[in-house]
Amino acid sequence: MTVPTISTSTALAAHNLHVAYGEHTILEDLSVTLPAGEVTAIIGPNGCGKSTLLKALSQFLPSQGQLTINGEDARALSRRDLARRLAVLPQSPQAPDGITVQDLVSRGRHPHQSWFRQWSSADSEVVDACLEKTGVKELGDRPLSSLSGGQRQRAWLAMVLAQDTDLLLLDEPTTYLDLAHSVDVLRLVQTMKQEDGRTIVMVLHDLNLAARFADHLVVMGPGRVAATGSAKEILTPELLADTFGLEAGVLTDPYHGGPLVVPR
């Protein structure tokens, strides 16, 4: 097997990735590279393996094949070292009953704690900054369960920000949100990239939101990568028909100039 040379502009890469549940193969010989300093959206029809790919990239699922972070072997990293480089927000995160927003966000600092390094004023400053950046600072004392869906998602994003990694993996961050709150969360994702230079990889279902807010798309078919590139490059009627089974036109978004998918 030939191992590809990983560019320094690649934040995360997989080569010949294989994931199976028992005898059922989900991903087979899948290779993909995710650019550094950009927002990547993984899109595709239901059941094609989008979330499975994200979990495999984060090593939440056992897999075979090569995984690299910034050109280094990701499998050689300890769990703590991995958590200092890569933060993950699952699709339906769980928190203890009664936990406050402040306490939730503070949990993002756990990878930086050890027997020799306990909680410090620097950790408190990071938590406060993340609460401020995500717009939930005034909600710090409130129970997470008392928040609206959009507020709750911002609190979870504040927690992964507090982990202070260059790479964020978000599994369907707009799940259960209406369109207005989805746009609000995705604008925050863009801010993370623009102001902090973070690399963000997220699974999305909405094609037009992906085209609007992502710099780079990974389009998946069943267990494989069907296309990669910018939305302008790869979102075509032919790809939509072949991969999604969707008869649609691709127009120009009158506000942002990118592609706009309009089903027929």
Side-chain angles (χ1 to χ4, degrees):
M1 180 182 73
T2 302
V3 177
T5 300
I6 305 299
S7 167
T8 55
S9 63
T10 298
L12 187 61
H15 185 67
N16 287 354
L17 191 66
H18 180 93
V19 178
Y21 294 107
E23 297 182 355
H24 182 49
T25 298
I26 308 298
L27 306 177
E28 185 170 13
D29 291 333
L30 183 149
S31 296
V32 67
T33 58
L34 305 174
E38 294 189 3
V39 176
T40 293
I42 302 173
I43 59 176
N46 288 343
C48 68
K50 300 184 297 296
S51 292
T52 298
L53 173 59
L54 200 77
K55 291 174 184 175
L57 291 172
S58 65
Q59 298 190 54
F60 276 19
L61 277 180
S63 64
Q64 297 175 348
Q66 182 193 28
L67 291 174
T68 61
I69 296 178
N70 296 323
E72 298 182 42
D73 182 2
R75 300 189 192 280
L77 299 173
S78 69
R79 297 305 300 180
R80 182 177 293 275
D81 286 340
L82 184 65
R84 289 173 176 172
R85 301 194 186 200
L86 181 153
V88 182
L89 182 60
Q91 183 177 346
S92 299
Q94 301 294 319
D97 291 340
I99 191 171
T100 66
V101 172
Q102 177 92 23
D103 288 341
L104 175 74
V105 178
S106 297
R107 292 188 173 211
R109 301 303 298 161
H110 285 181
H112 302 277
Q113 309 299 309
S114 68
W115 181 262
F116 300 102
R117 187 194 180 283
Q118 300 299 311
W119 189 269
S120 69
S121 59
D123 293 309
S124 296
E125 290 172 3
V126 170
V127 169
D128 287 344
C130 293
L131 289 166
E132 183 73 36
K133 181 179 287 289
T134 55
V136 293
K137 188 173 179 62
E138 295 182 358
L139 306 175
D141 294 331
R142 286 181 55 178
L144 182 69
S145 59
S146 72
L147 305 187
S148 68
Q151 291 172 330
R152 192 177 301 119
Q153 197 68 340
R154 280 180 165 268
W156 282 109
L157 287 170
M159 187 199 73
V160 296
L161 273 182
Q163 201 168 319
D164 197 22
T165 64
D166 291 332
L167 181 57
L168 305 179
L169 271 57
L170 314 176
D171 193 356
E172 299 190 32
T174 59
T175 298
Y176 310 127
L177 300 183
D178 59 30
L179 182 57
H181 285 104
S182 295
V183 169
D184 185 48
V185 165
L186 292 176
R187 282 177 176 157
L188 176 58
V189 167
Q190 280 193 326
T191 299
M192 295 176 188
K193 181 202 80 166
Q194 293 166 353
E195 295 186 359
D196 305 327
R198 297 178 194 270
T199 300
I200 299 157
V201 182
M202 57 185 178
V203 172
L204 287 181
H205 275 291
D206 190 299
L207 298 179
N208 287 323
L209 289 180
R212 166 66 181 87
F213 289 99
D215 307 298
H216 183 76
L217 298 182
V218 174
V219 182
M220 290 190 63
R224 62 184 177 85
V225 173
T228 62
S230 70
K232 284 185 177 181
E233 292 170 338
I234 64 173
L235 280 186
T236 64
E238 293 77 17
L239 178 133
L240 295 170
D242 292 344
T243 305
F244 294 87
L246 176 66
E247 294 295 325
V250 180
L251 309 181
T252 299
D253 188 316
Y255 292 103
H256 305 290
L260 182 67
V261 177
V262 181
R264 294 180 180 176

